[in-house]
Amino acid sequence: MGGSVRRYPSFLPTVVDPSPAEAAILKEIAEGIELHEAGKYWQAEKIYRRAVDKHGSPRAKALLALLLEQKVSSPKTLAQIKEACAADPNDMLIQGNYGGVLHMLGRISEAIEAYSAAVEAAPVYGEAYIGLGSCFADVMRHTEAVYAYRRGVESDPTNFTYWSDLIFTTDLSDTATFEDSMAVRRELN
Protein backbone atom coordinates (compact mmCIF):
# COMPACT_ATOMS: atom_id res chain seq x y z
CA MET A 1 0.00 0.00 0.00
CA GLY A 2 2.97 2.28 -0.16
CA GLY A 3 3.29 5.09 2.32
CA SER A 4 -0.37 6.00 2.53
CA VAL A 5 -2.01 5.92 5.92
CA ARG A 6 -5.65 4.91 5.88
CA ARG A 7 -7.76 6.85 8.34
CA TYR A 8 -9.99 4.90 10.69
CA PRO A 9 -12.93 6.13 12.68
CA SER A 10 -11.39 7.37 15.90
CA PHE A 11 -14.25 6.10 17.98
CA LEU A 12 -15.16 2.82 19.54
CA PRO A 13 -18.66 1.49 20.06
CA THR A 14 -20.27 2.76 23.22
CA VAL A 15 -20.48 0.11 25.88
CA VAL A 16 -23.09 0.97 28.45
CA ASP A 17 -21.60 0.55 31.92
CA PRO A 18 -18.55 -1.42 30.80
CA SER A 19 -16.88 -3.57 33.35
CA PRO A 20 -13.40 -2.40 34.37
CA ALA A 21 -11.95 -5.15 32.14
CA GLU A 22 -14.04 -4.07 29.11
CA ALA A 23 -13.12 -0.41 29.67
CA ALA A 24 -9.43 -1.34 29.79
CA ILE A 25 -9.67 -3.29 26.53
CA LEU A 26 -11.50 -0.43 24.78
CA LYS A 27 -8.93 2.07 26.04
CA GLU A 28 -6.06 -0.12 24.89
CA ILE A 29 -7.53 -0.56 21.40
CA ALA A 30 -8.25 3.19 21.15
CA GLU A 31 -4.57 3.87 21.91
CA GLY A 32 -3.61 1.41 19.17
CA ILE A 33 -5.94 3.09 16.67
CA GLU A 34 -4.46 6.49 17.50
CA LEU A 35 -0.93 5.21 16.87
CA HIS A 36 -2.07 3.37 13.72
CA GLU A 37 -3.65 6.55 12.33
CA ALA A 38 -0.41 8.43 13.04
CA GLY A 39 1.54 5.84 11.02
CA LYS A 40 3.31 4.47 14.11
CA TYR A 41 2.78 0.90 12.99
CA TRP A 42 5.30 -0.80 15.25
CA GLN A 43 3.77 0.69 18.42
CA ALA A 44 0.22 0.03 17.20
CA GLU A 45 1.10 -3.55 16.31
CA LYS A 46 2.46 -4.12 19.81
CA ILE A 47 -0.79 -2.87 21.38
CA TYR A 48 -3.00 -4.88 19.01
CA ARG A 49 -1.00 -8.06 19.60
CA ARG A 50 -1.24 -7.58 23.36
CA ALA A 51 -5.03 -7.08 23.11
CA VAL A 52 -5.35 -10.24 20.99
CA ASP A 53 -3.07 -12.35 23.17
CA LYS A 54 -4.34 -11.09 26.52
CA HIS A 55 -8.04 -10.55 25.78
CA GLY A 56 -8.77 -12.44 22.54
CA SER A 57 -10.26 -9.21 21.12
CA PRO A 58 -11.74 -9.74 17.63
CA ARG A 59 -11.50 -6.00 16.95
CA ALA A 60 -7.81 -5.93 17.81
CA LYS A 61 -7.29 -9.01 15.62
CA ALA A 62 -8.94 -7.29 12.64
CA LEU A 63 -6.94 -4.10 13.18
CA LEU A 64 -3.74 -6.12 13.51
CA ALA A 65 -4.46 -7.90 10.24
CA LEU A 66 -5.11 -4.62 8.47
CA LEU A 67 -1.93 -3.12 9.91
CA LEU A 68 0.05 -6.12 8.67
CA GLU A 69 -1.49 -5.65 5.24
CA GLN A 70 -0.33 -2.05 5.26
CA LYS A 71 3.15 -2.97 6.46
CA VAL A 72 4.00 -6.04 4.41
CA SER A 73 0.97 -7.18 2.42
CA SER A 74 0.62 -10.27 4.59
CA PRO A 75 -1.13 -13.17 2.81
CA LYS A 76 -2.81 -14.04 6.11
CA THR A 77 -4.65 -10.71 6.33
CA LEU A 78 -7.89 -11.77 4.66
CA ALA A 79 -8.15 -14.99 6.68
CA GLN A 80 -7.45 -13.14 9.94
CA ILE A 81 -10.08 -10.49 9.32
CA LYS A 82 -12.60 -13.11 8.14
CA GLU A 83 -11.99 -15.00 11.39
CA ALA A 84 -12.50 -11.79 13.37
CA CYS A 85 -15.77 -11.15 11.48
CA ALA A 86 -17.01 -14.60 12.44
CA ALA A 87 -16.06 -13.98 16.07
CA ASP A 88 -17.94 -10.65 16.22
CA PRO A 89 -20.25 -10.21 13.19
CA ASN A 90 -21.90 -7.09 14.64
CA ASP A 91 -18.70 -5.07 14.94
CA MET A 92 -18.88 -2.39 12.28
CA LEU A 93 -15.16 -1.64 12.36
CA ILE A 94 -14.20 -5.26 11.72
CA GLN A 95 -16.76 -5.56 8.90
CA GLY A 96 -15.59 -2.26 7.40
CA ASN A 97 -11.94 -3.32 7.50
CA TYR A 98 -12.88 -6.63 5.90
CA GLY A 99 -14.65 -4.71 3.14
CA GLY A 100 -11.54 -2.57 2.67
CA VAL A 101 -9.23 -5.54 2.26
CA LEU A 102 -11.66 -7.27 -0.12
CA HIS A 103 -11.96 -4.06 -2.11
CA MET A 104 -8.15 -3.74 -2.36
CA LEU A 105 -8.05 -7.31 -3.66
CA GLY A 106 -10.66 -6.48 -6.31
CA ARG A 107 -13.30 -8.77 -4.78
CA ILE A 108 -15.99 -6.14 -5.20
CA SER A 109 -19.16 -8.20 -4.61
CA GLU A 110 -17.72 -9.57 -1.35
CA ALA A 111 -16.57 -6.08 -0.34
CA ILE A 112 -20.09 -4.76 -0.93
CA GLU A 113 -21.43 -7.48 1.39
CA ALA A 114 -18.89 -6.63 4.11
CA TYR A 115 -19.48 -2.87 3.87
CA SER A 116 -23.24 -3.50 3.90
CA ALA A 117 -22.84 -5.54 7.09
CA ALA A 118 -20.84 -2.68 8.61
CA VAL A 119 -23.50 -0.07 7.90
CA GLU A 120 -26.20 -2.43 9.08
CA ALA A 121 -24.33 -2.80 12.39
CA ALA A 122 -23.79 0.98 12.65
CA PRO A 123 -25.96 3.11 10.34
CA VAL A 124 -23.85 6.20 11.13
CA TYR A 125 -20.54 4.62 10.07
CA GLY A 126 -19.55 7.03 7.28
CA GLU A 127 -16.31 5.24 6.33
CA ALA A 128 -18.26 2.11 5.44
CA TYR A 129 -20.75 4.08 3.33
CA ILE A 130 -17.86 5.66 1.45
CA GLY A 131 -16.26 2.25 0.89
CA LEU A 132 -19.62 0.92 -0.29
CA GLY A 133 -20.03 3.86 -2.66
CA SER A 134 -16.54 3.34 -4.02
CA CYS A 135 -17.29 -0.34 -4.72
CA PHE A 136 -20.51 0.56 -6.53
CA ALA A 137 -18.68 3.24 -8.55
CA ASP A 138 -15.97 0.72 -9.48
CA VAL A 139 -18.59 -1.50 -11.13
CA MET A 140 -20.43 1.43 -12.74
CA ARG A 141 -23.44 1.22 -10.42
CA HIS A 142 -23.48 5.00 -10.03
CA THR A 143 -27.02 5.39 -8.73
CA GLU A 144 -26.25 3.06 -5.82
CA ALA A 145 -22.89 4.79 -5.34
CA VAL A 146 -24.60 8.18 -5.07
CA TYR A 147 -26.97 6.79 -2.43
CA ALA A 148 -24.07 5.33 -0.40
CA TYR A 149 -22.01 8.52 -0.70
CA ARG A 150 -25.05 10.56 0.33
CA ARG A 151 -25.36 8.43 3.49
CA GLY A 152 -21.64 8.95 4.16
CA VAL A 153 -22.09 12.72 3.87
CA GLU A 154 -25.08 12.56 6.22
CA SER A 155 -22.92 10.77 8.79
CA ASP A 156 -20.16 13.40 8.59
CA PRO A 157 -21.27 16.56 6.77
CA THR A 158 -17.93 18.29 7.43
CA ASN A 159 -15.84 15.69 5.58
CA PHE A 160 -14.85 17.27 2.28
CA THR A 161 -13.64 13.96 0.83
CA TYR A 162 -17.12 12.49 1.26
CA TRP A 163 -18.62 15.50 -0.51
CA SER A 164 -16.08 15.22 -3.32
CA ASP A 165 -16.96 11.55 -3.88
CA LEU A 166 -20.66 12.41 -3.88
CA ILE A 167 -20.28 15.28 -6.36
CA PHE A 168 -18.07 13.32 -8.76
CA THR A 169 -20.34 10.27 -8.74
CA THR A 170 -23.51 12.33 -9.07
CA ASP A 171 -22.02 13.77 -12.26
CA LEU A 172 -21.48 10.22 -13.59
CA SER A 173 -24.87 8.87 -12.62
CA ASP A 174 -27.19 7.93 -15.47
CA THR A 175 -30.24 9.02 -13.51
CA ALA A 176 -28.89 12.32 -12.18
CA THR A 177 -29.78 15.50 -14.00
CA PHE A 178 -27.81 18.71 -14.24
CA GLU A 179 -30.10 20.11 -11.55
CA ASP A 180 -29.22 17.17 -9.26
CA SER A 181 -25.51 17.89 -9.68
CA MET A 182 -25.99 21.58 -9.00
CA ALA A 183 -28.14 20.85 -5.94
CA VAL A 184 -25.35 18.75 -4.42
CA ARG A 185 -22.87 21.57 -5.05
CA ARG A 186 -25.22 24.10 -3.42
CA GLU A 187 -25.52 21.85 -0.36
CA LEU A 188 -21.77 21.89 0.04
CA ASN A 189 -21.77 25.68 0.18
Side-chain angles (χ1 to χ4, degrees):
M1 289 189 65
S4 67
V5 176
R6 180 169 172 204
R7 302 294 296 177
Y8 300 93
S10 55
F11 61 87
L12 292 168
T14 303
V15 177
V16 179
D17 297 325
S19 69
E22 289 171 322
I25 294 168
L26 291 173
K27 183 177 184 232
E28 191 170 7
I29 293 171
E31 290 169 5
I33 291 171
E34 188 174 310
L35 291 165
H36 194 161
E37 288 178 340
K40 297 178 180 179
Y41 293 158
W42 183 84
Q43 294 99 326
E45 180 178 350
K46 188 174 174 182
I47 288 173
Y48 295 156
R49 286 190 187 281
R50 186 173 55 235
V52 169
D53 295 342
K54 196 170 160 186
H55 311 294
S57 169
R59 175 167 291 196
K61 189 172 194 170
L63 288 166
L64 176 61
L66 192 65
L67 182 142
L68 293 174
E69 173 66 26
Q70 289 175 316
K71 279 179 52 179
V72 295
S73 298
S74 170
K76 296 180 181 178
T77 300
L78 190 61
Q80 289 174 328
I81 296 180
K82 191 172 185 175
E83 187 177 308
C85 286
D88 193 352
N90 295 317
D91 188 309
M92 52 83 183
L93 186 60
I94 295 173
Q95 294 292 337
N97 287 339
Y98 186 44
V101 172
L102 289 166
H103 192 183
M104 285 188 293
L105 294 172
R107 295 167 64 173
I108 303 300
S109 61
E110 292 171 88
I112 289 171
E113 288 177 26
Y115 283 131
S116 296
V119 297
E120 187 175 315
V124 295
Y125 184 22
E127 288 275 332
Y129 281 113
I130 298 306
L132 187 58
S134 180
C135 286
F136 285 136
D138 286 353
V139 293
M140 310 304 280
R141 292 166 57 183
H142 294 115
T143 302
E144 291 161 291
V146 167
Y147 175 78
Y149 286 142
R150 166 74 57 198
R151 295 296 307 266
V153 165
E154 289 169 1
S155 74
D156 184 0
T158 62
N159 189 316
F160 182 75
T161 302
Y162 293 4
W163 278 101
S164 177
D165 291 340
L166 175 61
I167 290 168
F168 180 74
T169 308
T170 300
D171 290 345
L172 296 176
S173 176
D174 293 337
T175 59
T177 63
F178 175 75
E179 290 79 22
D180 294 331
S181 294
M182 293 309 296
V184 170
R185 285 172 172 74
R186 280 192 296 276
E187 282 182 64
L188 179 57
N189 296 326

